[in-house]
Amino acid sequence: MKTQKQICRHGRQYMLAVMGLLLAGGSAVTSCSQYDLDERTPEGWGASIYSWLDEQGNYTNTVRMIKDLGYQDVLAKTGSKTLFVADDEAYGRFYQNNPWGAGSYEQLSTSQKKLLLFGSMMDNSMQLGSLPSVEGNPPREGEAMRRFASSTPYDSVPVLQPAQMPDNPYWRRHREAGKNMVCMMDNSTVPLVQFIEKQLVNKRITNADYDFIYNHTTQRQAGDASINGVQVEQPNIKCSNGFIHKMGEVITPLPNMAELLRRKPNVSLFNHLLERYCAPYPLDQATTTQYNYLYGTQVDTVYQKRFFSEKSQGGRALNQTPDRGPVNGELKFDPEWNAYYAGLNDQDGNIVMQRDMAVMMVPSDQALNEYWNEGAGKVLRDYYGSWDNVPDDVISKLINNNMLSSFIGSVPSKFQTILNDANDPMGVVEEAIDSVWLGCNGAIYLTNRVYSPTAYVSVSFPALINETMRILYWGIEQLQYNVYLNSLNSYYSFFIPTNQAMLQYVDPCSYGKNQTQLMRFHYDASKVNKQERVWASLWNYDPQTGELGDSIEKVTDYNTIRNRLKDILDTHIVIGNVEDGHTYYRTKGGTEILVKNAQLGAGGMTVEGSYQTNEGQPAAVSYIYDQTEGGNGKSYILDAEPIMGTRQTVRDVLAQHEEFSKFLELMDGSGIFELIHNKRNATAGQNISTFNTYHYSIYVPTNESIQRLQDMGKLSSWEKVDAYEEAGNLLAKSRDSLQIVNFVKYHIQDNALFIGAEEESGDFETAVIDPATERFYRVSATLTADGITLKDHAGNTRKVQTADPRLFNLMAREFQYNNTDASRATNIETSSSAVIHLIDEPLLIEN
C-alpha cells in the first residue's frame, strides 16, 4: 500500500501553541488535574519534556523527530503531555527490524515520523499509576486498558491502487476505473493499548493470560507494565509540562483488526470472506479540503473503509451501502473501527472505549479448508459448491460466531464463559489458538480449528439458506428465536411454512370481527431497514369456500407483523421428535398439533393445528431436512399453509355436540364465560374467565350422569337456584350457586392431556380453590396409549370415553386482544388452548 509523504500539521501546532500561551500564565502544576496524578504528587517539577530529552544525549532520534515535525516549542515550553519514549539504543534495534523497512532515521518518511512521535504520545499529563483510571468523580481506578494517542487520521492516509482494493461489488467500479483512491482505514484516532497492574488485577487478567496474549514471549511479574506490548523500563520521569515514561523498545501504532487480517497471508481466505462486508464511504467535503491542504493535492474525494455491522462508528449500526441501498448481511461489529466499544450508543464513547476492546477468532487457511471439505462446513459446500456462492447473510453467521465483544471476557482464564450463537458454552481451548495478534481495537486469535455457528446445524438452517422461507426467518431473527432454535441442548421438530404458505394465514384478530380475514405476508429485500422488509396485506376471506374478497389494507406496522409471526412460530416449534410414534405434540406456545402418517415421510406426512382440525384440511409436509447428525432435530416444510389456531372457543365446541348439553347448561349459568378480560382485553367469543395463557383439559360428564346426580339431590340446577331467588331464600340460592360453580370448575384442569400424546401422569390443579388450604383442588390423571383415567378428590375413578371419536381430543383456542372492542383489535394480547373429553361420570370433590 502506498502512503503519500505528508507536510507538518499546522492546525495542531496552532492549537497547542494557544494552549501553551494560556498555561504559561499560571502554575505548571495546573496542567495536570487531580485525576492525572497519583496520591503522592511529586514535590517539584523538572525541565520540559524536550529539554530533558535533549540534555540526556541518548534520545537523539526522538529529538530530531520533534524538530523535524515542528513540535519543539510545544514540548519545550507548553502543553500537558505524556510521552512514551525509547532511547537511541532501542532505535538501533528498531532500524534492524521494523514494519516499514526503514534502516535509519534518514529513511523514515514524514508520515512515519508522525506515527512514531504522535502515536506514542497522549494529550494529557499522566503518571503510570493513573493510566488505568477512567474519568469520573471520583475517578474509577483499574478500568482503562486503552487511551487515545495524540495522532490524527491525517498523519498517514493510505492511497489504494486498484489491485489493493477489496474484491466485492461495492469496490468494483473504483477498481474498474483504474484510478488510485485516497482511503482512510477508519476516520478516527488510533488508541494505545496498555496493560498495567491495577487494571489487570481489577479485571482478573492473570499473568498467564498476559503471557498468552504475547504468545508466551514474556514472563510477566507483578508490577510490570506495557504499552502496545512494549515494556515500561523507567516510569514517571517528571517534567514541567508532563511525564516521560522510558520504554524498552520503540512503540509503533497498532493496526485495527481488519488491517491486521489484511496483512496476514495465512488467513487470506477468512479475510476474503470478511471483506465482503466492507465498502468505501466518501467523507465530507471538509475532510477532503483538509487533506488537500495538508498534502498539497487536488483529489476530488477522500474515502474511508467501513464494514456493514450492527455496531460501527459512534456505536451506531451501518446497515446501508454507500449508495444508501440495503445490505445482505451485517457483522456483529466493525473490525475497522479503531475506537470500538461494546457499550450502549448513548454512553460517552471515549470513556467506554477505554475499558475494553474486542476479539476475533480467525481460522487459518488450512483450518478453514478442512472445515469446508471435511468438517461442519461441508453442509455449505454440498449446498453451494464454493465459498463465493454462499450468500452474505449465511457467511455472516460464521464470522459473527467468532467475533467476541469483550477482550477482558475472552482471555484463557475465562474461556469457559465464552458463548456461541445459541448462548451455549463455545468450548474454546488454548490448544486451538496458535498465535495472538494485538490490534488497537482488539486481538486476533489465530485458530487451528473453526468454531462453527450452531446456526449451520440448527433446525432453522433451511430457512436461513432458502429464499423461499425468508419471511419466517425474518421473524426468527426479529423475535430473537435464533438463539432458542440454535440450542444443541434440545431436540426440535420445526415446521417451516414457505413464503407461499404465508399467503394463507387466517388472522386470529379477525375472529372477533364480522368478517374472517386472511393476512398475506410479503418480503421486500429492497428495504434498507430490516424491520420494514416484511409486510402483509389484509383481505376478506371465506374459509368455507377459500375465496378471497376485498383487499382491506396494507399492514406495515412492525409490532403487528411481529405479533402474528410470534403466534406462528410458537405453534410451529415442538421440543421433541414428532416421528416417535405418537400423534399429538405440544408446541412451544402450549397448543397441540396433530401429526399423521409420519412414517410416510415427505409427501405423505401431514400436520394439523386446531384450525385445520376444526375448520380446514391437514397441511401436507412437502420436504424434510434432517439436522440430527451434529444438529438438533428435523425441519418439516409446509408449502400450502401454516399451522393455525381455531376460532372455536370451548363453548363453541361444546355447543356443537348434544352429548355436552347438560354440562354446557351448568357452565352458562355459572358466569364463567366472559367477553372482555379484566376490563381491558376483548375476546373473540365467550372465553373461560379462569384461563390464563396456558393449556387446559375440560372433562365433560355425560348428560345422563349429571342428571342422575341432580335426581339424587347431590347437585343442584339453575332452575332450583332461580326458585330459591323467587322465594327469597337467598342463603339457599348462594349455597347452590357456589355448588354448581365449583362443580363446573372442578372439571377444568391445568395441563392439556391428549390421547395419542406421550404418556404422562400426575396430580393436576383444577380451577377450584380449597378454602381450608387456599390452594387449588387437584385431580389425578393418568394418560396412556389406551386413554385417560382420572381419580377425583373424593376417591372416585373416572374414564374418558373413546367409543365415539367426535367426543374426545376436541381442540379449542381462546384469544384475547389488545383492545376493549374486538372489532378494532390489531394484535393478539394472549391466548389459551384446551382439549375437551367426554367422561363417564362426574368428578367430585366429596361424596
Side-chain angles (χ1 to χ4, degrees), residues 146-178:
R146 291 194 295 164
R147 289 187 177 277
F148 284 123
S150 300
S151 57
T152 77
Y154 295 103
D155 288 346
S156 180
V157 183
V159 178
L160 298 179
Q161 297 175 353
Q164 296 170 318
M165 299 176 189
D167 185 13
N168 72 36
Y170 313 106
W171 295 80
R172 185 169 297 141
R173 68 181 180 89
H174 300 284
R175 289 170 61 95
E176 293 176 351

Side-chain angles (χ1 to χ4, degrees), residues 432-454:
I433 299 170
D434 290 339
S435 296
V436 179
W437 304 322
L438 198 64
C440 69
N441 60 350
I444 303 291
Y445 292 174
L446 175 66
T447 63
N448 52 40
R449 68 188 67 170
V450 177
Y451 286 94
S452 185
T454 57

Side-chain angles (χ1 to χ4, degrees), residues 72 142 325 519 528 535 727 813:
Q72 181 175 346
M519 183 172 274
V528 172
W535 60 280
R813 193 164 177 197

